[in-house]
Amino acid sequence: MSPRTPFFRPLLAGFGLAAVIMVSSGCETSFREDWSAMPPAREPKVDRVRYAHAVRFLPASTRLEGIERDGLDDFLGRVQAGPRDTVLLAVSASDAVSGRRLETVSAYLLHRSVPSRLAGDGVATEIGGPDAVSVVVERYAVTLPSCPDWSDTPGRTSNNTVSRNWGCATATNLGLMVVAPGDLAAGRTPGPMEGEVAAQAVHRYRIGKTRPLAPEDVGTIEKQQKSGDGGDQ
């Protein structure tokens, strides 16, 4: 072995360590993740929309003419006004004649099983002019997301993000099956609940003083199970 060999060993080791550091630094820089290209969240969009119609009256008259009644029927049919819609009535004046016109249109809508109420500020009253009652139907409408989206290759994203089609099925199904679209915009106020009754039942169960079912109750439950009634009890 050459006497110079021990001298070169530390030198070669130092070069090797520097090369490893340089390669490691280069890899870290080349494969740095970019989170700026995150795909948009897939969710149904809810918007409040309005449909307006003007019911016109003859000057100084409060009688609903046949042609205006037919026009109102056509409007309600086209927008498919239902019990979940909000129907507002508005007039441009506040005199006695305008008040009676409001009552006339409200009574006819109620006859059509379409309840209505007086509109507040912010609802257009100039739709039909001074001799008209504005009928405005408000509701929430759902816009489905742009799905499916297979513009990228699932499972092969360089920045370790989910596919652009991620969540499409769930969001689309939710938008299609929701009965009251307004529930997606804001939750409902819960109704009154009898918490005391439920708490007493739990308390009796915990202390071992549950109430046995009476024979007549057992017969009623069996009859409901056979007929299919009372399944939610």
Side-chain angles (χ1 to χ4, degrees):
M1 181 179 295
S2 173
R4 296 184 179 182
T5 302
F7 174 79
F8 286 104
R9 284 180 180 176
L11 186 60
L12 293 175
F15 280 123
L17 180 61
V20 170
I21 295 175
M22 292 176 62
V23 171
S24 301
S25 302
C27 292
E28 182 180 356
T29 304
S30 301
F31 295 96
R32 182 174 297 173
E33 295 179 352
D34 179 16
W35 295 97
S36 62
M38 286 289 293
R42 300 301 181 178
E43 56 186 13
K45 183 182 178 182
V46 184
D47 297 299
R48 195 166 184 85
V49 296
R50 287 178 175 177
Y51 305 94
H53 176 76
V55 180
R56 294 179 173 83
F57 291 82
L58 295 175
S61 174
T62 60
R63 180 175 180 272
L64 184 60
E65 301 293 334
I67 187 172
E68 294 298 326
R69 183 174 59 250
D70 295 340
L72 181 56
D73 290 340
D74 180 69
F75 168 72
L76 297 176
R78 282 188 289 106
V79 301
Q80 298 180 353
R84 297 186 181 277
D85 297 328
T86 300
V87 181
L88 305 174
L89 303 180
V91 290
S92 58
S94 58
D95 51 73
V97 174
S98 298
R100 292 184 61 185
R101 288 171 175 172
L102 283 172
E103 294 176 357
T104 299
V105 176
S106 177
Y108 182 75
L109 290 174
L110 193 60
H111 174 71
R112 289 285 312 271
S113 300
V114 180
S116 61
R117 59 182 175 85
L118 186 64
D121 297 335
V123 176
T125 58
E126 66 277 2
I127 298 174
D131 291 318
V133 174
S134 301
V135 180
V136 180
V137 177
E138 287 188 346
R139 66 165 63 117
Y140 284 99
V142 177
T143 303
L144 300 178
S146 54
C147 290
D149 185 354
W150 299 108
S151 57
D152 60 2
T153 304
R156 297 182 61 182
T157 53
S158 58
N159 56 356
N160 199 30
T161 60
V162 298
S163 167
R164 291 186 173 274
N165 200 56
W166 178 266
C168 262
T170 301
T172 302
N173 290 338
L174 176 61
L176 290 174
M177 72 181 183
V178 62
V179 176
D183 292 344
L184 299 179
R188 303 185 190 182
T189 302
M193 296 175 289
E194 297 185 10
E196 184 178 355
V197 176
Q200 288 295 331
V202 174
H203 178 68
R204 289 192 299 269
Y205 174 79
R206 287 177 174 175
I207 64 177
K209 293 185 178 180
T210 57
R211 299 175 181 176
L213 289 174
E216 56 270 17
D217 294 335
V218 176
T220 302
I221 294 174
E222 290 179 349
K223 186 181 298 183
Q224 290 176 346
Q225 290 176 343
K226 291 180 180 178
S227 63
D229 297 332
D232 296 334
Q233 301 295 327

